[in-house]
């Protein structure tokens, strides 16, 4: 929804953000369609503008990801406590990759890597962003060599499911060997030698 990559969304983008965030629960029947909640586009926009105001606690006319996250977590918590079954992700953690076979997975990756304007590229981008976030346990936006070791395993969940990547246990005889190999790869990616990558 943040098309300008400013870190904020205005009230109009917020309307779109709500629909984007609702895609997963709607897919599994845990949230109604906007058309089922509102009689018109005007009613929907008015209701979401009012919600926007409650989240925009600084009254600056825009909402940051942190503000949205705080609201979303509480909103989800309230739904789950009422008895909703938590959404089961697809491949990997919080994955947007919804393939059902090895052939579908290959097709998805070909589409994702053929054009940055393709929907598959967008799904792959956010899938990888989420794997990075899972590895970034300090939520600092960067990971060190130890975090990178975990990132490799998280990112490998999807290809391993379809037999396109070996398990770490089959690649390395010991944890020490695995960590040394991944530390070397980390160093190659950390081209400014800062000790972290983003």
């Amino acid at each position: 929804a943040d098309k300008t990559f400013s870190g904020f969304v205005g009230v109009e983008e917020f309307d779109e953000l709500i629909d984007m965030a609702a895609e997963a629960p709607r897919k599994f029947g845990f949230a109604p369609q906007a058309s089922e909640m509102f009689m018109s586009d005007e009613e929907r926009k008015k209701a979401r503008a009012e919600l926007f105001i409650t989240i925009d606690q600084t009254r600056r006319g825009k909402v940051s990801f942190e503000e949205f996250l705080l609201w979303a977590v509480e909103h989800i918590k309230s739904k789950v406590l009422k008895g909703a079954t938590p959404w089961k992700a697809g491949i990997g953690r919080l994955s947007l990759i919804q393939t059902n076979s090895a052939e579908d997975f290959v097709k998805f990756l070909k589409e994702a890597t053929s054009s940055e304007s393709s929907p598959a590229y967008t799904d792959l981008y956010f899938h990888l962003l989420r794997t990075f976030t899972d590895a970034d346990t300090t939520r600092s936006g960067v990971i060190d060599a130890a975090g990178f070791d975990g990132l490799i395993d998280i990112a490998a969940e999807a290809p391993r499911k379809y037999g396109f990547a070996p398990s770490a246990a089959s690649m390395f005889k010991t944890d020490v060997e695995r960590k040394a190999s991944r530390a070397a790869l980390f160093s190659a990616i950390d081209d400014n030698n800062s000790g972290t990558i983003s």
Side-chain angles (χ1 to χ4, degrees):
D2 177 20
K3 296 181 176 63
T4 62
F5 302 107
S6 65
F8 298 89
V9 294
V11 66
E12 292 184 4
E13 293 93 345
F14 180 76
D15 180 36
E16 182 180 359
L17 175 61
I18 292 298
D19 282 324
M20 294 172 70
E23 286 182 4
R26 283 175 179 163
K27 179 176 181 179
F28 297 103
F30 295 138
Q33 297 293 326
S35 59
E36 298 173 328
M37 297 176 65
F38 307 106
M39 296 294 291
S40 66
D41 290 344
E42 290 73 21
E43 182 182 0
R44 184 197 75 241
K45 290 179 179 179
K46 181 176 183 295
R48 291 181 178 172
E50 292 172 351
L51 175 59
F52 177 90
I53 291 172
T54 65
I55 298 175
D56 179 25
Q57 298 182 357
T58 61
R59 300 294 182 266
R60 59 190 162 196
K62 53 187 177 181
V63 167
S64 68
F65 171 71
E66 288 76 15
E67 291 172 319
F68 173 73
L69 177 65
L70 182 63
W71 169 81
V73 168
E74 289 303 315
H75 177 72
I76 294 169
K77 185 186 298 184
S78 70
K79 297 295 184 181
V80 173
L81 289 177
K82 290 178 181 177
T85 302
W87 173 45
K88 183 179 180 180
I91 304 165
R93 306 182 185 187
L94 295 177
S95 178
L96 293 173
I97 303 176
Q98 300 295 326
T99 53
N100 298 312
S101 67
E103 291 76 15
D104 284 347
F105 184 64
V106 171
K107 182 180 178 181
F108 166 81
L109 291 178
K110 285 182 177 179
E111 180 184 349
T113 56
S114 65
S115 172
E116 292 187 4
S117 62
S118 70
Y121 174 85
T122 301
D123 286 346
L124 180 61
Y125 172 89
F126 283 108
H127 168 68
L128 293 175
L129 176 63
R130 287 171 175 175
T131 63
F132 188 94
T133 302
D134 283 337
D136 176 21
T137 56
T138 63
R139 298 295 184 265
S140 62
V142 297
I143 56 175
D144 57 13
F148 182 74
D149 181 36
L151 173 61
I152 292 298
D153 282 323
I154 296 170
E157 287 181 12
R160 281 176 179 163
K161 177 174 182 177
Y162 294 117
F164 294 127
S167 67
S170 66
M171 292 179 66
F172 307 106
K173 295 180 179 179
T174 65
D175 288 346
V176 173
E177 182 184 355
R178 184 197 75 239
K179 291 179 180 179
S181 175
R182 292 180 177 174
L185 177 58
F186 175 85
S187 296
I189 298 173
D190 179 24
D191 52 11
N192 62 358
N193 297 316
S194 65
T196 60
I197 60 173
S198 60

